Amino acid sequence: MHVPSILKSRWISLLALLLIVISLGVVIGNDYGMGSDENLNAVVGGRALRAMFSPEGYQLYLRTGESIGHHGPSYFMVFVAFSRFFTLIFKDWHLADGRHLTNYLTFILGVVLFYLLCLRLLPRRIALITSAVFATQPVLFGLGFINQKDTPFMVFFLASLMAGFWVTDRLGKIMGSGGVDPTSGSAIPIGQLIRQDWKAARRVWKLLLTLSITVFIVVLVDVLVFDQILDEMKHVMDLASEGIAWGPLNRLYELIAEDAQTTPVELYFEKLSWGYWVIGRMSLLLITLIANLFTAVRVLPSTMKRIFPGDWSLYLLAILAGSLLGFTISIRAIAGFVGLLVSGYWIYRYRERSIGLLLIYWVTAGVVSYETWPYLWETPLFSFVESLALHSDFRIHDVLYQGVTYPSNDLPWHFLPTLFALQITPFVTPIFLVGIYAAVRAVRRKEVDCAILLMISIWFVVPFAGTFLPGTVQFNNFRHMLFVIPPLFVFFGFGLKLIMDAVRSRWVRLLMVAVLLVPGIMGIINLHPYEYAYFNVYAGGIEGAYEDYDTEYWCTSFRKAMEYVNKNADPGATIFVSIPLYNAIPFASPDQYLTKLTGEYQDASYVIFCPHYAQSSVWAQGAKVFEVKHGSAIFAEVYEREPSTFENQME
């Protein structure tokens, strides 16, 4: 009775802590301004939702712009829907506030998943401390509210990995409990087993299997490349509109088509295409795949038992894992990388017994990614490859690094290592380096699952090494590499364990935990709501980093700037916002006119300027009347085009 009560108490404590953390998000969720891309991403999410319900919505989605090509809208749809829900609860919130709370809850989910990942490699106490240090990183905490791209990608990357582990856990339990005999047929190579089944099968079933495989390949190639099936459907509709198709099809067209005699058939082609892309294409593919599996069971019974072990619960988990992967791919196409990690782990653990799981996993991922990403509907393969290419072909940005402005495709090799060291709390980097040694020692002593640790190492090393390739684009500090931060903190956990094991005194250990947590917590408190601009003591804090590195690069401080303008500008005033305009619009009074058009500059009473965009300083004219700043680091400036009293806001 004693042990279960301890476990119960521990989980109650963790749940209480989780509720406190969520409540914190509710309390401060409406403090944050909008990031530079948030408005466009919200538009994409809303239009992607509409695309699923009407051809007109799909056409509207396509007109959104190029951003839909390289950022899938799966998460954008979620944060748009939830933001509307939250603004129904919190009446005085902006839609942006609802989006920020959605982002934050996603970040908290990521912290929970990170803790579960740490438990696979580290003692519970170390996993909890490591997760706490991870969660209280000011940059991660701040981006957890305002970043609707990189933070969700990090979280769902984690979720996809953990779901892969859950599938492995379930299969291990089934095999360990006798549900699957791991030695059954293992003496027979899989190739020989296939030949034996094929010889024993009836001729008619072998013909049906051959036919179903052929049909599946034809449908798959058509779905990915040619779209000939849709062309044939349009041809039949054209015949039906003229009344010369097969009789039942003529009558079906008359029933479905409104004003069939007067409406051009081309209008119905658009609806047919949309319906086929949304429902028909994947349905056809799945039907042919199921037909293959059904006939394969009849022709290759022993082989199918070998490659499809376990019960229905295992395959439900595989579908869940595939769905998470597909959703993550629809956030960023490069998420296929985590699918490869999971696949490699399954193959390593279960060899040919993973074949069935891999089939279900990748088919589900493909279907979910396709259905949640309307940009893929018309030309799936071409559009996906184009999206992948755009990940390495970003628009060139100016990057302030060590006091020098570089183009974002020609940064020094040490850019990311330096930013990691300067923007993570000061004790993390040295303990991370200790953790590399500690992890290698744990592997040699066989104290950890080597395969899991190898996966986590690849997760960190491969993307990180990719940034050293010539022409690789990085900007906004390390936010594009946010998804490699969890493995960095896993190695931090190994280093922490080694150090903690060497310390005997309980009080010294508690002091160490406090020393690790305090810099992050204080950074969050002092910089709120600009936590993502955090730099540690190695850079001299944000004041020391201000003229050497990009700090408040998304200009979220425009919210505070607009609060000043709302109080002081005359009704109907014109406000000139240099860059970015949409960061200010949601927070403007209804009677104000905001513009970025240079031809309207002379009519402006106030100018809002973000120092991050130095090229726009030409518009920062008049009397400076207000600043949003931290110490000497200026985030936003307000100029009045008539002299006025200067005010200074300290954040």
Side-chain angles (χ1 to χ4, degrees):
M1 293 296 293
H2 179 63
V3 173
S5 65
I6 291 176
L7 293 176
K8 184 177 180 181
S9 174
R10 179 179 293 155
W11 282 110
I12 290 174
S13 299
L14 289 175
L15 181 60
L17 177 62
L18 186 61
L19 290 174
I20 292 171
V21 170
I22 292 173
S23 300
L24 173 65
V26 173
V27 171
I28 66 174
N30 63 339
D31 291 347
Y32 294 86
M34 283 177 54
S36 300
D37 300 325
E38 183 176 326
N39 179 73
L40 179 58
N41 295 155
V43 170
V44 169
R47 292 183 177 182
L49 285 171
R50 295 179 189 176
M52 295 186 170
F53 296 101
S54 72
E56 295 77 19
Y58 173 65
Q59 293 301 322
L60 182 64
Y61 170 82
L62 291 181
R63 291 196 293 270
T64 305
E66 63 84 25
S67 68
I68 59 176
H70 61 274
H71 287 301
S74 57
Y75 181 77
F76 299 158
M77 289 188 281
V78 170
F79 94 142
V80 164
F82 273 84
S83 69
R84 294 170 182 170
F85 170 74
F86 287 133
T87 51
L88 292 176
I89 299 175
F90 308 109
K91 301 295 185 181
D92 59 337
W93 278 25
H94 295 276
L95 281 172
D97 299 329
R99 293 193 291 264
H100 297 159
L101 181 57
T102 305
N103 294 340
Y104 175 72
L105 295 177
T106 303
F107 171 65
I108 296 305
L109 172 63
V111 174
V112 173
L113 291 168
F114 177 74
Y115 172 67
L116 295 176
L117 174 63
C118 288
L119 285 178
R120 292 179 174 271
L121 295 165
L122 299 166
R124 185 179 301 273
R125 172 174 53 89
I126 299 298
L128 185 60
I129 298 170
T130 301
S131 301
V133 176
F134 174 81
T136 54
Q137 293 300 305
V139 173
L140 300 186
F141 186 87
L143 291 177
F145 278 96
I146 65 171
N147 191 329
Q148 69 284 347
K149 296 185 290 187
D150 307 288
T151 297
F153 181 66
M154 176 186 72
V155 172
F156 282 95
F157 195 103
L158 253 172
S160 299
L161 187 70
M162 292 305 299
F165 290 146
W166 297 334
V167 171
T168 308
D169 294 342
R170 179 59 186 163
L171 182 55
K173 288 181 180 178
I174 291 172
M175 295 178 68
S177 65
V180 175
D181 182 0
T183 64
S184 177
S186 59
I188 305 175
I190 188 71
Q192 183 179 341
L193 195 60
I194 293 172
R195 288 192 293 271
Q196 288 180 1
D197 281 343
W198 184 263
K199 284 184 180 180
R202 293 174 57 186
R203 182 184 181 91
V204 64
W205 283 108
K206 289 193 282 189
L207 289 173
L208 285 173
L209 178 59
T210 303
L211 178 62
S212 65
I213 291 173
T214 303
V215 170
F216 174 75
I217 293 173
V218 169
V219 169
L220 179 63
V221 172
D222 185 76
V223 161
L224 294 177
V225 183
F226 297 112
D227 228 8
Q228 189 64 37
I229 294 173
L230 178 59
D231 290 341
E232 291 300 319
M233 292 171 68
K234 288 180 179 178
H235 177 64
V236 171
M237 176 177 279
D238 193 23
L239 295 176
S241 69
E242 298 176 6
I244 57 176
W246 182 41
L249 292 177
N250 293 335
R251 289 190 290 274
L252 179 63
Y253 180 79
E254 292 175 358
L255 287 173
I256 294 175
E258 299 176 2
D259 301 323
Q261 302 303 320
T262 59
T263 304
V265 70
E266 286 76 16
L267 295 179
Y268 294 110
F269 284 169
E270 183 178 309
K271 293 183 178 181
L272 174 66
S273 298
W274 173 80
Y276 176 71
W277 291 335
V278 175
I279 301 172
R281 183 182 268 151
M282 289 298 109
S283 297
L284 187 60
L285 192 63
L286 289 175
I287 288 170
T288 55
L289 178 61
I290 291 170
N292 271 273
L293 294 176
F294 177 77
T295 52
V297 168
R298 297 301 184 103
V299 177
L300 308 168
S302 299
T303 304
M304 294 296 283
K305 288 181 181 178
R306 172 82 71 84
I307 66 177
F308 282 95
D311 56 19
W312 61 269
S313 62
L314 175 65
Y315 298 101
L316 284 179
L317 275 176
I319 290 172
L320 170 65
S323 298
L324 285 169
L325 175 62
F327 187 90
T328 310
I329 289 172
S330 188
I331 297 175
R332 279 190 185 174
I334 59 171
F337 176 53
V338 70
L340 294 176
L341 290 176
V342 169
S343 299
Y345 185 64
W346 287 355
I347 293 170
Y348 168 76
R349 289 288 299 270
Y350 299 113
R351 303 297 191 274
E352 68 267 15
R353 292 187 183 280
S354 65
I355 294 174
L357 289 174
L358 291 171
L359 176 64
I360 291 174
Y361 180 64
W362 282 102
V363 168
T364 304
V367 171
V368 170
S369 180
Y370 171 87
E371 293 293 348
T372 56
W373 195 349
Y375 187 74
L376 302 181
W377 289 355
E378 192 165 349
T379 54
L381 185 61
F382 173 80
S383 298
F384 183 78
V385 172
E386 182 184 43
S387 177
L388 273 176
L390 283 169
H391 277 288
S392 59
D393 191 28
F394 277 113
R395 177 173 62 87
I396 304 304
H397 294 68
D398 289 336
V399 177
L400 180 62
Y401 176 67
Q402 295 184 340
V404 179
T405 300
Y406 293 91
S408 55
N409 64 341
D410 190 25
L411 292 164
W413 68 267
H414 45 79
F415 173 78
L416 272 178
T418 301
L419 266 297
F420 280 149
L422 297 182
Q423 285 207 281
I424 294 174
T425 50
F427 297 106
V428 171
T429 299
I431 296 178
F432 161 75
L433 296 175
V434 172
I436 295 174
Y437 162 75
V440 172
R441 192 178 77 157
V443 168
R444 289 178 175 175
R445 295 182 175 184
K446 299 182 179 179
E447 296 173 348
V448 296
D449 187 324
C450 297
I452 293 179
L453 191 58
L454 178 62
M455 286 178 67
I456 292 171
S457 301
I458 294 173
W459 172 9
F460 180 79
V461 170
V462 171
F464 188 68
T467 64
F468 295 105
L469 296 175
T472 301
V473 173
Q474 293 291 325
F475 55 92
N476 293 165
N477 298 336
F478 63 75
R479 77 167 176 87
H480 292 102
M481 296 298 291
L482 210 61
F483 73 102
V484 305
I485 294 296
L488 184 153
F489 273 86
V490 169
F491 283 101
F492 164 85
F494 276 98
L496 181 62
K497 179 181 181 299
L498 182 66
I499 295 170
M500 285 286 195
D501 288 345
V503 175
R504 298 295 183 183
S505 171
R506 180 170 178 267
W507 293 107
V508 173
R509 290 179 178 178
L510 289 174
L511 179 62
M512 288 177 58
V513 173
V515 168
L516 289 173
L517 292 176
V518 165
I521 294 171
M522 293 306 298
I524 291 170
I525 294 172
N526 291 333
L527 278 171
H528 180 74
Y530 313 108
E531 298 93 341
Y532 81 107
Y534 172 83
F535 278 82
N536 62 34
V537 294
Y538 301 146
I542 192 168
E543 293 88 352
Y546 175 62
E547 294 185 345
D548 290 332
Y549 301 94
D550 291 322
T551 52
E552 216 269 288
Y553 51 78
W554 263 355
C555 304
T556 62
S557 48
F558 275 13
R559 180 170 190 162
K560 286 288 184 185
M562 281 309 305
E563 289 178 3
Y564 173 85
V565 172
N566 292 341
K567 292 177 181 177
N568 293 276
D570 294 331
T574 295
I575 315 300
F576 186 87
V577 183
S578 56
I579 298 175
L581 175 65
Y582 284 100
N583 287 29
I585 286 178
F587 310 112
S589 295
D591 58 354
Q592 291 174 353
Y593 175 65
L594 272 63
T595 182
K596 65 176 181 179
L597 300 177
T598 57
E600 297 178 330
Y601 176 75
Q602 293 302 322
D603 299 326
S605 301
Y606 288 88
V607 175
I608 298 178
F609 170 61
C610 181
H612 173 73
Y613 293 96
Q615 70 273 22
S616 299
S617 60
V618 64
W619 305 111
Q621 299 177 13
K624 186 191 293 187
V625 292
F626 185 75
E627 288 180 340
V628 182
K629 62 188 297 185
H630 185 282
S632 59
I634 301 172
F635 298 156
E637 299 173 339
V638 178
Y639 291 82
E640 187 177 5
R641 303 196 65 232
E642 294 291 335
S644 182
T645 304
F646 177 78
E647 293 185 22
N648 184 27
Q649 165 139 339
M650 294 293 293
E651 290 295 331

